[in-house]
Amino acid sequence: MLYVPFEPMKKIHADEGSPLHPKLGPYFRDGHRRVDYILEYSIQKPNSARRHSTIFGNDNFLRRLRRSLSTRNSKAPLQPKEDPEFAAQEHRADYHEDDKSNKRKEFEENLQEAGLELEWDEENHVPGVGFLKIHAPWDILCREAELMKLKMPTKKTYEIKQGSNLVEKIRLFIHKATAPLHPKVESNQQPGLKHLSHPFSREKEHLFDLSNKDKFFDSKTRSSIVHEVLKRTKCERDHYSMGITSLLANSIYMAAYPPHDGDINGMDRNDRRLLYEEWASYSVFYKYQPVGLIRKYFGEKVGLYFAWLGVYTQMLIPASIVGVIVFLYGCATVDSNIPSMEICDPRNDIIMCPLCDRACSYWKLVTACGTARASHLFDNEATVFFSIFMALWAVLFMEHWKRRQMRLNYTWDLTGFGEEEEEDHKDHNRAEYEIRVMEKTMRQDQSAPKEEKVKLTCIDRMPAYMTVVAMMAFMITLSFTMAFGVILYRISIKAALHMASAAGQSNIRATVKGTAAVINVVIIIILDEIYAKVARWLTILEVPKTDKSFDNRLIFKTFILKFVNAFTPIVYLAFFRGRLVGRPGKYLYVVGSYRMEECAHAGCLMELCIQLCITMLGKQFIQNNLFEIGIPKLKKMLQKRKMDPQEEEKQNKILPRHQKDHLLLPFAGLNPEYMEMIIQFGMVTLFVASFPLAPLFALLNNIIEIRLDAKKFVKELRRPVAAKAKNIGIWYNLLRGLSKVAVIVNAFVIAFTSDFIPRLVYQYTYSPDGTLHGFVNHTLSVFNVRDFEPNTQPIYPNHLGYNVETCRYKDYREPPWSSTPYELSKEFWSILAVRLAFVIVFQNVVMLMSDFVDWLIPDIPKDITLQIHKEKIHMMELFMKEEQGKRRAARDSRGLYNCNSPTSDGQSPPQPRSRPNTHARVGW
């Protein structure tokens, strides 16, 4: 292990008057050593004496002296009025804080032994909080970079040749045509050239450009190196090994994070300010994201998320255009739609059966004219085409992302980043797991073999697993119960409105649909917040071993709960409403006298469209944007009201970087961001047959969402630790699963929810002239009003001004004068057969087309494959030249040794004036 000289372990306080101290920059007091990491800890007694270096041993002596003096004072009869219970509590608190301080001290000494340089700041503008600033010297950075096998750019560069196939030419043409849309971010690398990267090695330092050591390791790399040292360094106090995760979990340290590079509105040009100007500003919403700079500042994991979000948003543009065209086609053909014309024709005096018992009366079909015309906007011939298009769109999106991801892996030097390195670098044991293992070790019999490594088994986790299964079942049942409650609301409010004055009966349906959809959105938003906390609590109960396992379990639980919560009302409207109703005279009742609700004559597709529209608007513009913009701004407004504006401006000028970062919100991970987009992807693909404008809504939301997330990451959050990743992980599997399920769901929506199949069957089987004339009458069955069950007939049967003998209802049943009255007719069975056949054919055809597109498009672009192969060749040539140089130097050394050997006359030849260089330089 290498050691570097460091200053004695003393507490250095910020000196605002020092000319060397850059007040706003992340540097030590000397103004030269950069702060690579920040640890926060609590200070209970800010006015107490400062700690001194352990080299002099004053700290332990002063602590023992202070403790002995306090013990004597407690025994002296000079304070009889002191409450003994209060004194005992204070003593325990002091002991607890002393124990924390001792653990921090030991951990910090171990950090210094590992070569890190530390500086303390306890006299600051943040009361009760102390800051430990950590700096990694050059030797430590080189050592850890070699251990972590970090790929660093060498001096060797090679030309990147673009592909010559048609796809690459189209890509280059699009890239040149959209040049004004690219952010104005300068790159240190010349266009068309790429540095050959190689895992850093101190033995091969001559391969790397070390002319400027301060910039060779950027701030992101430096902080990740320090983070690795922190995770590896242990505190062995109390015979228990505690790393930084355990220290944070036990509140020995309050927070740990790397500092931001600088201010977004400062005078210096830093990456954070550049990101704010070229990425987080709403004025550049039309530009591409600076993905390379995002990766440089936040790391590969965050960079991949925003790259994926950018690809998803770009792919929504063609989907939105086609969706708008489908919607406009419905608008253009609504006046020529024969079923709508028949419903709106007042000459067709069709009397419909009541929609509810007693309170509702008979009504004329012509009153549903508006609903029928609106339904045609979303239920027309183009819907089937759009469903097929969106299924292929999902496959193209996945393939496009895989190619984009591979291109980023090549550009970011992640092609050799394997699973073993991911495990070594990321998957350290979690603090909670280590604590449970320690507790299990203490409970075990002392006679147990010591060589056996203690770990948590399924038996240990069985109570947690049982709790998880029970809670998940309860939460899913809760979602179903809430959806059922909204159903009862619709049934009861519809009956209540029908009993009201006649002036409001024309808008009853719109009122019920709109208010029920809003209530559903409010319930979804509330339950989403509850489910997120419940899922995290259940995952903590399971005590996963690693952070990766914790994230995967948390993602799975959260996805299941939020997916069920968001889509339960939509699935009910699409597949169950109007089918579990019964018929006039024999309706299906729930909870006593509540009759199940029916669909309008034009079907439930319009109500499904309204529910999807309000849910997307509510979740996106209320839950996401309002929570991400409104609540933080409200908190800032409240803080500003408590603080004088001049005082706030003064603090912004004098506060150092680490204290400003303390005021920011902690980074909570990318899981909420991914989850939000995955649910949106489900909204866009699963029921797109009923709502072709869903891609447009998602596109508009994502344009705002990208800038919102950018501003949040740059301005409002602490800087996350840079984490390496070569893909988006489990989220890709969820996207792929949703795209497969979307094909099946849309097939059932077209076949069973819309009237596409009944219209098709009627036109080609029952229509006398091959058109849709008479289709409305064909879908209506006849009911004799004398067959009503007792106490279910309308209270006001003469509401229309005359006696009604028969009424119509939407179903395929035999008429009352048939030998089998009110039984399902043969038309019902023939249409059902066609519906099932359509589902099978549609599903298999679309799946086959999707698999063909998947096979047709290679996952790795051809030019990237060639560049990776070319990079390996260049690397081999580089090492061969280096090996040849070493052999040449060795031969020169042997020749010089032979020249120095004694001659035949016993005299030595004259010594050379200088020793030849034994390290041959490699040509570049």
Side-chain angles (χ1 to χ4, degrees):
M1 181 179 292
L2 293 177
Y3 295 93
V4 294
F6 55 90
E7 296 181 357
M9 189 176 177
K10 59 183 179 179
K11 190 168 300 182
I12 305 175
H13 296 279
D15 184 5
E16 296 177 0
S18 173
L20 295 176
H21 178 62
K23 299 177 183 178
L24 302 180
Y27 292 92
F28 274 21
R29 182 191 175 194
D30 55 19
H32 299 293
R33 290 177 295 173
R34 180 183 179 86
V35 178
D36 299 319
Y37 216 86
I38 298 293
L39 296 179
E40 294 182 4
Y41 55 93
S42 176
I43 303 176
Q44 295 296 327
K45 297 180 180 180
N47 296 325
S48 61
R50 300 177 184 176
R51 292 183 296 169
H52 296 281
S53 173
T54 56
I55 297 177
F56 301 101
N58 293 333
D59 190 52
N60 293 331
F61 172 74
L62 290 175
R63 183 177 288 108
R64 288 195 300 267
L65 179 61
R66 192 182 303 114
R67 191 174 296 173
S68 63
L69 290 175
S70 62
T71 304
R72 292 179 184 178
N73 291 336
S74 63
K75 292 181 179 179
L78 298 177
Q79 298 176 349
K81 295 182 180 181
E82 183 179 5
D83 188 359
E85 183 179 357
F86 176 79
Q89 291 177 357
E90 185 177 6
H91 178 73
R92 285 195 297 268
D94 291 341
Y95 177 78
H96 185 61
E97 292 302 322
D98 288 342
D99 184 59
K100 286 184 178 181
S101 178
N102 292 333
K103 290 179 180 178
R104 281 199 303 267
K105 178 182 174 182
E106 180 185 351
F107 183 73
E108 291 160 7
E109 288 177 348
N110 294 336
L111 291 179
Q112 286 190 316
E113 290 180 2
L116 299 180
E117 298 179 2
L118 312 180
E119 183 180 85
W120 288 263
D121 180 14
E122 293 186 356
E123 293 182 358
N124 52 68
H125 298 275
V126 183
V129 178
F131 298 92
L132 174 63
K133 296 179 282 186
I134 304 176
H135 168 75
W138 170 255
D139 292 343
I140 304 303
L141 293 174
C142 294
R143 181 192 72 192
E144 296 299 325
E146 184 174 356
L147 292 175
M148 297 169 62
K149 301 177 183 179
L150 293 181
K151 273 191 172 184
M152 303 301 296
T154 64
K155 299 176 184 178
K156 175 78 172 174
T157 59
Y158 64 95
E159 183 180 1
I160 302 176
K161 293 184 179 180
Q162 303 295 338
S164 57
N165 55 8
L166 180 61
V167 177
E168 292 302 321
K169 288 182 179 180
I170 294 175
R171 189 182 66 84
L172 289 176
F173 172 77
I174 296 176
H175 185 271
K176 292 179 180 179
T178 58
L181 302 180
H182 292 276
K184 299 178 181 179
V185 178
E186 297 180 359
S187 176
N188 297 329
Q189 185 171 305
Q190 297 180 3
L193 294 178
K194 187 179 186 297
H195 283 278
L196 191 65
S197 297
H198 184 264
F200 185 81
S201 173
R202 288 172 289 181
E203 295 181 355
K204 294 180 171 56
E205 284 189 353
H206 57 279
L207 299 179
F208 305 94
D209 184 10
L210 303 180
S211 58
N212 189 347
K213 294 184 178 180
D214 293 336
K215 293 185 178 180
F216 182 73
F217 295 108
D218 56 14
S219 60
K220 178 256 300 182
T221 307
R222 297 175 67 99
S223 63
S224 62
I225 289 175
V226 174
H227 184 68
E228 282 296 318
V229 177
L230 289 173
K231 289 195 295 186
R232 197 172 61 244
T233 305
K234 301 294 182 181
C235 172
E236 304 290 343
R237 193 174 183 85
D238 298 333
H239 307 287
Y240 173 55
S241 177
M242 298 179 67
I244 185 61
T245 54
S246 300
L247 296 174
L248 289 170
N250 289 276
S251 301
I252 296 173
Y253 286 104
M254 298 167 55
Y257 52 89
H260 280 290
D261 278 355
D263 289 328
I264 57 177
N265 52 3
M267 299 299 295
D268 58 328
R269 297 290 297 179
N270 54 70
D271 290 341
R272 188 188 184 198
R273 180 178 176 183
L274 189 59
L275 282 171
Y276 184 76
E277 294 174 352
E278 296 294 332
W279 181 44
S281 176
Y282 291 108
S283 60
V284 294
F285 74 93
Y286 59 93
K287 289 187 177 183
Y288 291 104
Q289 299 181 90
V291 178
L293 186 59
I294 297 171
R295 172 251 180 181
K296 178 185 175 185
Y297 192 78
F298 292 108
E300 285 79 6
K301 196 170 185 179
V302 176
L304 278 175
Y305 164 71
F306 283 103
W308 172 83
L309 182 57
V311 170
Y312 172 48
T313 304
Q314 292 173 23
M315 290 295 293
L316 282 173
I317 295 176
S320 302
I321 294 174
V322 177
V324 171
I325 292 175
V326 170
F327 177 75
L328 293 178
Y329 171 81
C331 295
T333 59
V334 66
D335 291 330
S336 59
N337 180 250
I338 296 176
S340 300
M341 294 170 61
E342 289 183 351
I343 293 176
C344 297
D345 190 355
R347 293 174 297 180
N348 296 329
D349 192 16
I350 301 177
I351 308 301
M352 302 297 294
C353 295
L355 296 175
C356 61
D357 292 343
R358 305 290 292 168
C360 303
S361 183
Y362 305 105
W363 56 284
K364 290 188 176 183
L365 183 61
V366 69
T367 58
C369 175
T371 304
R373 292 173 62 87
S375 297
H376 178 73
L377 302 179
F378 305 100
D379 184 10
N380 50 65
E381 296 78 9
T383 302
V384 180
F385 159 75
F386 190 56
S387 299
I388 298 175
F389 170 82
M390 288 301 296
L392 298 178
W393 171 88
V395 177
L396 289 173
F397 163 59
M398 304 299 290
E399 293 300 316
H400 180 35
W401 166 244
K402 283 193 292 187
R403 292 170 63 86
R404 171 67 169 159
Q405 184 175 258
M406 195 63 208
R407 193 175 296 278
L408 290 176
N409 286 341
Y410 166 71
T411 306
W412 296 349
D413 297 320
L414 294 173
T415 51
F417 185 72
E419 295 296 331
E420 294 182 1
E421 291 172 326
E422 258 187 335
E423 296 293 328
D424 292 340
H425 295 160
K426 294 172 60 178
D427 291 346
H428 295 261
N429 290 349
R430 300 181 68 250
E432 291 81 359
Y433 181 84
E434 293 180 354
I435 293 174
R436 287 288 299 274
V437 169
M438 181 195 67
E439 293 174 352
K440 182 178 179 180
T441 305
M442 296 174 63
R443 288 195 305 265
Q444 282 183 345
D445 188 11
Q446 299 296 329
S447 61
K450 301 296 183 182
E451 294 80 7
E452 184 179 354
K453 187 176 180 180
V454 179
K455 61 180 181 180
L456 297 183
T457 62
C458 292
I459 303 299
D460 300 324
R461 293 190 173 100
M462 188 57 65
Y465 290 157
M466 298 295 292
T467 305
V468 168
V469 172
M471 286 299 297
M472 291 287 289
F474 173 75
M475 290 295 145
I476 293 174
T477 305
L478 179 62
S479 295
F480 292 159
T481 304
M482 290 296 179
F484 184 70
V486 176
I487 295 172
L488 294 182
Y489 163 80
R490 277 200 295 259
I491 296 172
S492 58
I493 200 68
K494 184 183 296 183
L497 290 176
H498 274 288
M499 295 179 65
S501 60
Q505 292 185 7
S506 59
N507 298 321
I508 287 177
R509 290 179 181 172
T511 303
V512 172
K513 295 174 185 177
T515 55
V518 171
I519 293 174
N520 267 324
V521 171
V522 173
I523 292 175
I524 289 172
I525 292 175
I526 294 174
L527 289 183
D528 269 353
E529 299 299 320
I530 297 175
Y531 287 167
K533 293 179 172 56
V534 170
R536 176 168 290 274
W537 173 66
L538 293 177
T539 308
I540 292 173
L541 284 182
E542 292 179 338
V543 197
K545 183 177 181 180
T546 63
D547 288 333
K548 184 177 181 180
S549 176
F550 182 89
D551 287 341
N552 289 340
R553 292 167 184 255
L554 176 62
I555 289 169
F556 178 76
K557 295 183 186 65
T558 309
F559 174 75
I560 293 296
L561 292 177
K562 291 195 173 185
F563 185 86
V564 171
N565 182 41
F567 287 96
T568 296
I570 298 172
V571 170
Y572 165 75
L573 288 175
F575 302 120
F576 295 99
R577 182 177 177 181
R579 287 166 181 82
L580 304 176
V581 178
R583 61 170 179 82
K586 196 176 181 180
Y587 284 113
L588 177 66
Y589 294 90
V590 293
V591 194
S593 59
Y594 286 96
R595 195 178 98 186
M596 290 299 293
E597 51 187 349
E598 304 177 43
C599 292
H601 182 268
C604 287
L605 201 67
M606 187 60 192
E607 298 187 22
L608 177 60
C609 174
I610 293 174
Q611 183 66 55
L612 275 169
C613 178
I614 295 180
T615 300
M616 289 192 70
L617 288 175
K619 283 185 66 64
Q620 294 177 358
F621 293 98
I622 297 176
Q623 184 182 23
N624 301 338
N625 298 342
L626 180 62
F627 284 4
E628 294 181 9
I629 299 177
I631 294 179
K633 285 190 175 295
L634 182 62
K635 290 181 179 179
K636 288 184 178 180
M637 289 176 59
L638 294 176
Q639 291 178 357
K640 288 182 179 180
R641 291 185 62 182
K642 297 178 181 178
M643 185 181 299
D644 187 17
Q646 297 180 355
E647 183 68 21
E648 181 185 4
E649 184 178 357
K650 181 181 178 181
Q651 284 196 6
N652 288 333
K653 291 181 178 180
I654 64 174
L655 283 181
R657 178 74 266 148
H658 59 277
Q659 295 184 33
K660 291 182 180 179
D661 289 348
H662 167 78
L663 302 177
L664 301 178
L665 298 174
F667 176 68
L670 291 171
N671 289 346
E673 312 298 334
Y674 271 116
M675 188 63 66
E676 175 185 333
M677 290 295 108
I678 294 296
I679 297 297
Q680 185 198 87
F681 182 80
M683 294 280 182
V684 169
T685 56
L686 289 180
F687 295 92
V688 72
S690 60
F691 189 40
L693 294 180
L696 178 63
F697 281 24
L699 174 64
L700 297 177
N701 173 79
N702 288 3
I703 292 175
I704 302 174
E705 183 71 20
I706 288 176
R707 305 306 162 180
L708 275 177
D709 288 344
K711 183 171 289 187
K712 182 171 65 175
F713 271 78
V714 175
K715 187 178 179 181
E716 299 176 0
L717 295 180
R718 295 172 185 167
R719 188 176 184 179
V721 179
K724 278 188 177 295
K726 62 185 304 182
N727 52 52
I728 60 175
I730 192 176
W731 300 107
Y732 180 82
N733 298 329
L734 292 177
L735 288 169
R736 194 169 184 84
L738 283 176
S739 63
K740 297 293 184 182
V741 174
V743 177
I744 303 173
V745 171
N746 282 295
F748 276 94
V749 168
I750 295 173
F752 288 92
T753 307
S754 71
D755 282 338
F756 175 76
I757 298 299
R759 289 197 300 263
L760 201 66
V761 172
Y762 174 80
Q763 185 173 359
Y764 293 100
T765 305
Y766 300 104
S767 176
D769 54 358
T771 64
L772 290 177
H773 287 288
F775 170 74
V776 173
N777 185 66
H778 181 262
T779 60
L780 296 177
S781 299
V782 182
F783 177 75
N784 193 331
V785 299
R786 290 175 295 183
D787 295 334
F788 272 120
E789 292 184 351
N791 299 323
T792 61
Q793 61 271 22
I795 301 176
Y796 305 103
N798 299 328
H799 174 72
L800 298 177
Y802 51 85
N803 293 328
V804 177
E805 296 183 357
T806 60
C807 62
R808 311 292 294 273
Y809 61 99
K810 188 176 182 181
D811 205 348
Y812 291 97
R813 292 183 179 272
E814 297 291 344
W817 54 82
S818 172
S819 59
T820 56
Y822 307 125
E823 294 293 329
L824 296 175
S825 62
K826 62 179 182 179
E827 289 87 354
F828 171 84
W829 299 109
S830 60
I831 291 175
L832 179 62
V834 176
R835 280 173 166 167
L836 295 176
F838 174 83
V839 169
I840 296 174
V841 173
F842 182 89
Q843 174 185 344
N844 286 278
V845 169
V846 175
M847 288 288 189
L848 182 63
M849 295 172 63
S850 301
D851 292 340
F852 176 74
V853 173
D854 191 1
W855 170 81
L856 187 64
I857 302 176
D859 295 344
I860 305 177
K862 187 176 180 180
D863 64 319
I864 296 298
T865 304
L866 296 176
Q867 295 298 341
I868 293 175
H869 181 66
K870 184 178 179 181
E871 191 175 89
K872 292 180 180 179
I873 294 176
H874 282 294
M875 186 64 68
M876 292 177 62
E877 292 177 352
L878 177 62
F879 285 121
M880 289 177 66
K881 288 182 180 180
E882 184 182 7
E883 187 65 25
Q884 291 174 1
K886 288 182 179 180
R887 291 178 180 177
R888 190 181 301 112
R891 286 197 301 267
D892 294 343
S893 299
R894 286 196 299 270
L896 179 61
Y897 175 77
N898 294 331
C899 292
N900 291 337
S901 62
T903 59
S904 59
D905 57 358
Q907 296 179 356
S908 299
Q911 299 293 330
R913 287 176 295 177
S914 62
R915 184 180 182 90
N917 186 10
T918 59
H919 295 280
R921 296 181 60 87
V922 181
W924 296 93

